[in-house]
Amino acid sequence: MGRQTQEKDAKGTLMFTERKRWLFFALPFTFTKYLIYENDIQIESGLLTTKENDCYMYRVSDVELTRTLFQKIFGIGTVRCFTSDVTDKNLILKNIRNSREIKDYIYKAAEDSKKRRRTINMQDIGADAVGALGDE
């Protein structure tokens, strides 16, 4: 299961640690690191100025895996998480190894997290309350 560790903190158990990689040869010479916890996804980026972006698993509504021809050749992929997070609606884990495994884990962990928190994910279909009830 990728790099799995037994570190446990407020975010839960650290399940995966991956680095953003160059597309060619899949070399990890970037300053972006993805930490996937049991209850949280964290993206750390930057060299001189470091930025951390966190998103709770229960906020993930859908997960998408994209693999171009070159990504397939080098064994990497891009996982995109569609979220209800305020700071970033789309979390993109770009050019990572074990991309299918990580996508499947995030999807399952998000569903489990929603069940534990008794959270319902609703979609806005564009109908306003007045028009939907027939009141004008």
Side-chain angles (χ1 to χ4, degrees), residues 68-119:
T68 65
L69 177 62
F70 285 112
Q71 286 177 321
K72 289 178 187 177
I73 290 170
F74 296 112
I76 57 178
T78 298
V79 175
R80 178 188 226 176
C81 300
F82 299 92
T83 73
S84 62
D85 192 43
V86 175
T87 57
D88 202 352
K89 299 287 184 194
N90 293 310
L91 290 178
I92 299 173
L93 287 65
K94 190 170 182 169
N95 294 337
I96 58 171
R97 293 198 184 273
N98 305 309
S99 55
R100 174 166 285 128
E101 189 176 350
I102 289 172
K103 177 203 65 104
D104 292 341
Y105 174 78
I106 291 172
Y107 186 76
K108 183 178 179 335
E111 292 302 312
D112 292 344
S113 181
K114 288 173 195 168
K115 287 177 187 175
R116 279 193 310 272
R117 294 177 67 92
R118 296 182 180 149
T119 304

Side-chain angles (χ1 to χ4, degrees), residues 31-99:
F31 299 101
T32 302
K33 187 175 173 181
Y34 306 110
L35 303 164
I36 296 121
Y37 291 89
E38 188 175 31
N39 300 317
D40 191 80
I41 300 171
Q42 182 177 354
I43 300 174
E44 297 177 0
S45 59
L47 173 63
L48 299 177
T49 301
T50 304
K51 176 182 168 186
E52 287 185 12
N53 188 5
D54 293 292
C55 179
Y56 288 114
M57 281 293 184
Y58 74 89
R59 292 189 176 271
V60 175
S61 57
D62 199 11
V63 184
E64 173 185 77
L65 172 63
T66 305
R67 296 180 72 210
T68 65
L69 177 62
F70 285 112
Q71 286 177 321
K72 289 178 187 177
I73 290 170
F74 296 112
I76 57 178
T78 298
V79 175
R80 178 188 226 176
C81 300
F82 299 92
T83 73
S84 62
D85 192 43
V86 175
T87 57
D88 202 352
K89 299 287 184 194
N90 293 310
L91 290 178
I92 299 173
L93 287 65
K94 190 170 182 169
N95 294 337
I96 58 171
R97 293 198 184 273
N98 305 309
S99 55

